[in-house]
Amino acid sequence: MHCPFCRHPDSRVVDSRTSDDGATIRRRRQCPNCSRRFSTSETASLSVLKRSGVSEPFSRAKVISGVRKACQGRPVSDDQLAMLAQRVEESIRSSGQAEIDAHQVGLSILQPLQELDVVAYLRFASVYQGFDTLEDFESAIARLRAEAKQNGESVPESAG
């Protein structure tokens, strides 16, 4: 790390602290040449590779925006959406990859969204899993019902 004051090519770390839920490390550094101190902030970069081939930084806001559309009219709060986006980011970061395909981001949203709201899950899944027919929806609903029964939850067979 170059000293911002004298441009010396080295510095000594005096103190390190995590911030932003451990996503960022703030380091206090001292230059061995001019003895001045300065701070740096380090984050692990996570990029999303879009279909067009463009790579852009991962954005929780984009996850929330995409999921919010599926949650329209559903009893889902902004706090719940923020927690979902955090879970998605943590899941992606735990894979150890520095760059992930945009489609994989969408797929990583599915499980947390299913746990949050099954109707929003079906809306979102219909896009990311490419539902083309009514049978696709019916099989997804049948799977959800089977999982709910397996977990001991009561699920109505029809809405009306």
Side-chain angles (χ1 to χ4, degrees):
M1 181 90 225
H2 289 275
C3 173
F5 305 107
C6 71
R7 304 299 300 157
H8 189 269
D10 197 16
S11 64
R12 182 173 68 87
V13 175
V14 178
D15 184 40
S16 292
R17 296 182 186 187
T18 61
S19 59
D20 293 338
D21 298 326
T24 304
I25 298 175
R26 182 181 175 271
R27 296 196 194 279
R28 196 74 180 130
R29 297 176 175 270
Q30 183 172 12
C31 176
N33 187 47
C34 69
S35 298
R36 294 182 74 180
R37 290 186 174 198
F38 58 98
S39 295
T40 59
S41 180
E42 299 175 16
T43 58
S45 65
L46 178 60
S47 298
V48 177
L49 183 62
K50 306 202 56 141
R51 273 183 262 171
S52 65
V54 175
S55 184
E56 65 181 41
F58 176 84
S59 167
R60 285 187 192 179
K62 282 193 172 190
V63 170
I64 291 170
S65 172
V67 173
R68 181 172 278 129
K69 292 171 190 160
C71 293
Q72 243 173 351
R74 301 298 304 157
V76 176
S77 71
D78 287 343
D79 286 345
Q80 289 172 309
L81 289 177
M83 289 300 296
L84 180 138
Q86 181 179 341
R87 283 183 62 192
V88 168
E89 182 176 2
E90 288 170 356
S91 168
I92 292 169
R93 286 191 185 277
S94 71
S95 74
Q97 296 176 305
E99 187 171 70
I100 188 164
D101 186 70
H103 188 72
Q104 284 300 113
V105 174
L107 292 176
S108 68
I109 291 170
L110 291 174
Q111 185 60 42
L113 185 56
Q114 179 182 337
E115 294 168 11
L116 181 61
D117 187 282
V118 292
V119 172
Y121 163 81
L122 282 171
R123 291 173 178 170
F124 195 85
S126 69
V127 174
Y128 274 90
Q129 292 181 334
F131 290 11
D132 292 324
T133 65
L134 288 175
E135 288 77 21
D136 292 337
F137 281 95
E138 289 170 346
S139 65
I141 291 168
R143 184 184 55 75
L144 288 170
R145 283 193 173 124
E147 285 179 16
K149 285 180 184 177
Q150 184 179 3
N151 294 334
E153 301 167 16
S154 63
V155 178
E157 285 299 315
S158 68

